[in-house]
Amino acid sequence: RFCRLLFSFFCCFVWRCEEQKQEQEEKKMADKWISQEQLEESKDEGQVWLAIDGKVYDVTEFVDEHPGGVDVIQEVSGSDASNSFHDAGHSDATVKSLSKYFVGNFGTAPPVEEPKAEEVKAEEAKIEEPVVVEAKIEEPVVEDVKAEE
């Protein structure tokens, strides 16, 4: 009984570690953007990339395992396969399993917003010029005091 409990704990630990590793990889890729041209080029390079709901997945290693056959995926490789994917009625488990194939967002990166002129002025107003303080140090006056003899 203890061994079962220990085994269950170990499996949960390994599963959680894998899940965290996958989440970290997804965060890294979240800033990567893949254009239509790059998606199309992947097909020419022998890879199988699909865009589904604004995300790009490299399913090259999965193609042979696809229950619907290789041809179904090859047909939409290098394109936005969102409609085909949803028309096929994939399960929630299948949708969730896509995350391990995620390589980036589909489209062009959103432009970096330049701050508005008012914001820049407000920011500049916060920055004050350094105040230079000049200290005038006078030398101490030393009086000669002769020691009384």
Side-chain angles (χ1 to χ4, degrees):
R1 191 171 186 189
F2 176 74
C3 289
R4 266 194 223 156
L5 181 64
L6 186 61
F7 180 74
S8 295
F9 175 75
F10 177 74
C11 288
C12 288
F13 176 75
V14 170
W15 176 78
R16 184 65 186 136
C17 288
E18 285 299 313
E19 194 175 72
Q20 286 176 341
K21 183 179 175 183
Q22 189 173 344
E23 287 171 3
Q24 289 173 347
E25 286 297 315
E26 287 177 22
K27 286 178 185 176
K28 286 181 192 175
M29 294 296 207
D31 290 335
K32 185 174 180 181
W33 289 86
I34 297 168
S35 67
Q36 177 69 41
E37 184 178 298
Q38 290 171 309
L39 185 64
E40 291 169 3
E41 287 173 0
S42 71
K43 187 173 184 175
D44 296 336
E45 296 168 1
Q47 296 174 325
V48 183
W49 286 16
L50 309 171
I52 300 172
D53 297 333
K55 295 184 177 185
V56 177
Y57 303 95
D58 179 356
V59 294
T60 307
E61 65 183 47
F62 172 74
V63 172
D64 294 330
E65 300 171 27
H66 186 252
V70 174
D71 295 338
V72 175
I73 294 184
Q74 292 288 358
E75 188 177 305
V76 292
S77 177
S79 67
D80 187 342
S82 300
N83 291 336
S84 299
F85 182 81
H86 294 298
D87 289 347
H90 289 96
S91 68
D92 291 339
T94 301
V95 173
K96 188 174 181 180
S97 71
L98 278 175
S99 64
K100 65 183 166 187
Y101 302 109
F102 178 72
V103 291
N105 297 297
F106 182 53
T108 54
V112 177
E113 289 186 29
E114 294 293 324
K116 296 176 185 170
E118 301 84 39
E119 292 173 355
V120 172
K121 288 179 183 175
E123 214 35 56
E124 288 174 353
K126 291 179 187 175
I127 301 172
E128 297 177 9
E129 290 295 319
V131 178
V132 178
V133 178
E134 289 185 30
K136 188 173 182 182
I137 302 175
E138 296 182 16
E139 290 192 33
V141 178
V142 179
E143 295 180 20
D144 285 338
V145 178
K146 290 185 181 179
E148 290 183 23
E149 293 178 24

mmCIF file of all heavy atoms in Angstrom, residues 51-53 66 72 75-76 80-91 94-95 98:
data_model
loop_
_atom_site.group_PDB
_atom_site.id
_atom_site.type_symbol
_atom_site.label_atom_id
_atom_site.label_comp_id
_atom_site.label_asym_id
_atom_site.label_seq_id
_atom_site.Cartn_x
_atom_site.Cartn_y
_atom_site.Cartn_z
ATOM 1 N N ALA A 51 -1.361 26.743 -38.875
ATOM 2 C CA ALA A 51 -1.854 27.848 -38.051
ATOM 3 C C ALA A 51 -3.276 27.477 -37.657
ATOM 4 O O ALA A 51 -4.098 27.136 -38.517
ATOM 5 C CB ALA A 51 -1.840 29.154 -38.829
ATOM 6 N N ILE A 52 -3.540 27.508 -36.360
ATOM 7 C CA ILE A 52 -4.881 27.207 -35.857
ATOM 8 C C ILE A 52 -5.221 28.250 -34.807
ATOM 9 O O ILE A 52 -4.513 28.382 -33.807
ATOM 10 C CB ILE A 52 -4.968 25.780 -35.250
ATOM 11 C CG1 ILE A 52 -4.618 24.735 -36.311
ATOM 12 C CG2 ILE A 52 -6.359 25.531 -34.669
ATOM 13 C CD1 ILE A 52 -4.481 23.323 -35.773
ATOM 14 N N ASP A 53 -6.272 28.992 -35.060
ATOM 15 C CA ASP A 53 -6.749 30.030 -34.133
ATOM 16 C C ASP A 53 -5.645 30.999 -33.695
ATOM 17 O O ASP A 53 -5.500 31.306 -32.512
ATOM 18 C CB ASP A 53 -7.401 29.384 -32.908
ATOM 19 C CG ASP A 53 -8.627 28.565 -33.278
ATOM 20 O OD1 ASP A 53 -9.263 28.888 -34.305
ATOM 21 O OD2 ASP A 53 -8.953 27.612 -32.558
ATOM 22 N N HIS A 66 -1.352 10.745 -36.973
ATOM 23 C CA HIS A 66 -2.660 11.381 -37.106
ATOM 24 C C HIS A 66 -3.723 10.348 -37.480
ATOM 25 O O HIS A 66 -3.598 9.660 -38.499
ATOM 26 C CB HIS A 66 -2.611 12.496 -38.151
ATOM 27 C CG HIS A 66 -3.871 13.271 -38.241
ATOM 28 N ND1 HIS A 66 -4.725 13.168 -39.307
ATOM 29 C CD2 HIS A 66 -4.432 14.161 -37.378
ATOM 30 C CE1 HIS A 66 -5.764 13.972 -39.108
ATOM 31 N NE2 HIS A 66 -5.610 14.572 -37.937
ATOM 32 N N VAL A 72 -4.468 14.233 -44.903
ATOM 33 C CA VAL A 72 -5.341 15.287 -44.369
ATOM 34 C C VAL A 72 -4.515 16.454 -43.846
ATOM 35 O O VAL A 72 -4.838 17.618 -44.107
ATOM 36 C CB VAL A 72 -6.241 14.717 -43.243
ATOM 37 C CG1 VAL A 72 -7.061 15.807 -42.594
ATOM 38 C CG2 VAL A 72 -7.145 13.629 -43.780
ATOM 39 N N GLU A 75 -2.380 18.278 -46.669
ATOM 40 C CA GLU A 75 -3.214 19.149 -47.510
ATOM 41 C C GLU A 75 -3.282 20.581 -46.973
ATOM 42 O O GLU A 75 -3.332 21.534 -47.738
ATOM 43 C CB GLU A 75 -4.622 18.565 -47.588
ATOM 44 C CG GLU A 75 -5.531 19.249 -48.562
ATOM 45 C CD GLU A 75 -6.887 18.561 -48.622
ATOM 46 O OE1 GLU A 75 -6.913 17.346 -48.878
ATOM 47 O OE2 GLU A 75 -7.905 19.247 -48.409
ATOM 48 N N VAL A 76 -3.268 20.738 -45.652
ATOM 49 C CA VAL A 76 -3.377 22.075 -45.048
ATOM 50 C C VAL A 76 -2.050 22.573 -44.479
ATOM 51 O O VAL A 76 -1.992 23.654 -43.897
ATOM 52 C CB VAL A 76 -4.477 22.114 -43.944
ATOM 53 C CG1 VAL A 76 -5.844 21.939 -44.552
ATOM 54 C CG2 VAL A 76 -4.213 21.071 -42.868
ATOM 55 N N ASP A 80 -3.342 28.425 -42.855
ATOM 56 C CA ASP A 80 -4.245 28.567 -41.714
ATOM 57 C C ASP A 80 -5.256 27.430 -41.796
ATOM 58 O O ASP A 80 -6.126 27.414 -42.665
ATOM 59 C CB ASP A 80 -4.948 29.922 -41.754
ATOM 60 C CG ASP A 80 -5.766 30.190 -40.500
ATOM 61 O OD1 ASP A 80 -6.072 29.227 -39.759
ATOM 62 O OD2 ASP A 80 -6.106 31.360 -40.266
ATOM 63 N N ALA A 81 -5.120 26.475 -40.895
ATOM 64 C CA ALA A 81 -5.953 25.276 -40.912
ATOM 65 C C ALA A 81 -7.079 25.342 -39.890
ATOM 66 O O ALA A 81 -7.677 24.313 -39.558
ATOM 67 C CB ALA A 81 -5.082 24.052 -40.651
ATOM 68 N N SER A 82 -7.390 26.525 -39.402
ATOM 69 C CA SER A 82 -8.404 26.670 -38.347
ATOM 70 C C SER A 82 -9.743 26.054 -38.745
ATOM 71 O O SER A 82 -10.323 25.273 -37.980
ATOM 72 C CB SER A 82 -8.620 28.148 -37.997
ATOM 73 O OG SER A 82 -7.429 28.718 -37.530
ATOM 74 N N ASN A 83 -10.250 26.406 -39.920
ATOM 75 C CA ASN A 83 -11.563 25.894 -40.342
ATOM 76 C C ASN A 83 -11.556 24.383 -40.476
ATOM 77 O O ASN A 83 -12.463 23.703 -39.990
ATOM 78 C CB ASN A 83 -11.999 26.544 -41.657
ATOM 79 C CG ASN A 83 -12.336 28.013 -41.475
ATOM 80 O OD1 ASN A 83 -12.666 28.457 -40.387
ATOM 81 N ND2 ASN A 83 -12.223 28.779 -42.553
ATOM 82 N N SER A 84 -10.522 23.839 -41.123
ATOM 83 C CA SER A 84 -10.431 22.383 -41.289
ATOM 84 C C SER A 84 -10.350 21.681 -39.948
ATOM 85 O O SER A 84 -10.973 20.636 -39.735
ATOM 86 C CB SER A 84 -9.197 22.023 -42.123
ATOM 87 O OG SER A 84 -9.279 22.592 -43.396
ATOM 88 N N PHE A 85 -9.574 22.260 -39.044
ATOM 89 C CA PHE A 85 -9.396 21.670 -37.715
ATOM 90 C C PHE A 85 -10.731 21.612 -36.966
ATOM 91 O O PHE A 85 -11.094 20.576 -36.402
ATOM 92 C CB PHE A 85 -8.368 22.477 -36.917
ATOM 93 C CG PHE A 85 -8.077 21.928 -35.554
ATOM 94 C CD1 PHE A 85 -7.196 20.873 -35.398
ATOM 95 C CD2 PHE A 85 -8.674 22.469 -34.423
ATOM 96 C CE1 PHE A 85 -6.915 20.354 -34.136
ATOM 97 C CE2 PHE A 85 -8.405 21.956 -33.167
ATOM 98 C CZ PHE A 85 -7.522 20.895 -33.021
ATOM 99 N N HIS A 86 -11.465 22.716 -36.976
ATOM 100 C CA HIS A 86 -12.741 22.754 -36.247
ATOM 101 C C HIS A 86 -13.832 21.952 -36.948
ATOM 102 O O HIS A 86 -14.673 21.344 -36.278
ATOM 103 C CB HIS A 86 -13.177 24.197 -36.012
ATOM 104 C CG HIS A 86 -12.252 24.932 -35.086
ATOM 105 N ND1 HIS A 86 -12.045 24.560 -33.780
ATOM 106 C CD2 HIS A 86 -11.429 25.997 -35.299
ATOM 107 C CE1 HIS A 86 -11.156 25.366 -33.218
ATOM 108 N NE2 HIS A 86 -10.768 26.246 -34.114
ATOM 109 N N ASP A 87 -13.802 21.926 -38.274
ATOM 110 C CA ASP A 87 -14.789 21.135 -39.023
ATOM 111 C C ASP A 87 -14.640 19.647 -38.734
ATOM 112 O O ASP A 87 -15.602 18.893 -38.801
ATOM 113 C CB ASP A 87 -14.659 21.385 -40.528
ATOM 114 C CG ASP A 87 -15.134 22.773 -40.936
ATOM 115 O OD1 ASP A 87 -15.792 23.454 -40.107
ATOM 116 O OD2 ASP A 87 -14.839 23.185 -42.086
ATOM 117 N N ALA A 88 -13.422 19.222 -38.402
ATOM 118 C CA ALA A 88 -13.165 17.807 -38.120
ATOM 119 C C ALA A 88 -13.715 17.389 -36.759
ATOM 120 O O ALA A 88 -13.800 16.200 -36.457
ATOM 121 C CB ALA A 88 -11.673 17.519 -38.191
ATOM 122 N N GLY A 89 -14.085 18.371 -35.939
ATOM 123 C CA GLY A 89 -14.677 18.062 -34.632
ATOM 124 C C GLY A 89 -13.702 17.447 -33.648
ATOM 125 O O GLY A 89 -14.038 16.485 -32.951
ATOM 126 N N HIS A 90 -12.505 17.988 -33.565
ATOM 127 C CA HIS A 90 -11.518 17.464 -32.627
ATOM 128 C C HIS A 90 -11.976 17.624 -31.177
ATOM 129 O O HIS A 90 -12.640 18.601 -30.840
ATOM 130 C CB HIS A 90 -10.170 18.175 -32.824
ATOM 131 C CG HIS A 90 -9.487 17.789 -34.090
ATOM 132 N ND1 HIS A 90 -9.587 18.519 -35.233
ATOM 133 C CD2 HIS A 90 -8.692 16.728 -34.387
ATOM 134 C CE1 HIS A 90 -8.890 17.943 -36.194
ATOM 135 N NE2 HIS A 90 -8.335 16.848 -35.709
ATOM 136 N N SER A 91 -11.575 16.684 -30.351
ATOM 137 C CA SER A 91 -11.943 16.696 -28.934
ATOM 138 C C SER A 91 -11.168 17.758 -28.173
ATOM 139 O O SER A 91 -10.156 18.278 -28.651
ATOM 140 C CB SER A 91 -11.648 15.324 -28.316
ATOM 141 O OG SER A 91 -10.247 15.107 -28.271
ATOM 142 N N THR A 94 -7.619 16.764 -27.694
ATOM 143 C CA THR A 94 -6.780 17.010 -28.866
ATOM 144 C C THR A 94 -6.348 18.471 -28.905
ATOM 145 O O THR A 94 -5.181 18.779 -29.162
ATOM 146 C CB THR A 94 -7.537 16.646 -30.162
ATOM 147 O OG1 THR A 94 -7.903 15.273 -30.110
ATOM 148 C CG2 THR A 94 -6.685 16.902 -31.391
ATOM 149 N N VAL A 95 -7.294 19.355 -28.636
ATOM 150 C CA VAL A 95 -6.988 20.787 -28.629
ATOM 151 C C VAL A 95 -5.918 21.069 -27.585
ATOM 152 O O VAL A 95 -4.957 21.797 -27.839
ATOM 153 C CB VAL A 95 -8.262 21.624 -28.362
ATOM 154 C CG1 VAL A 95 -7.925 23.092 -28.184
ATOM 155 C CG2 VAL A 95 -9.269 21.440 -29.486
ATOM 156 N N LEU A 98 -2.294 20.089 -28.481
ATOM 157 C CA LEU A 98 -1.587 20.933 -29.454
ATOM 158 C C LEU A 98 -0.479 21.768 -28.815
ATOM 159 O O LEU A 98 0.503 22.098 -29.469
ATOM 160 C CB LEU A 98 -2.568 21.883 -30.147
ATOM 161 C CG LEU A 98 -3.373 21.335 -31.307
ATOM 162 C CD1 LEU A 98 -4.375 22.381 -31.775
ATOM 163 C CD2 LEU A 98 -2.482 20.892 -32.441
#
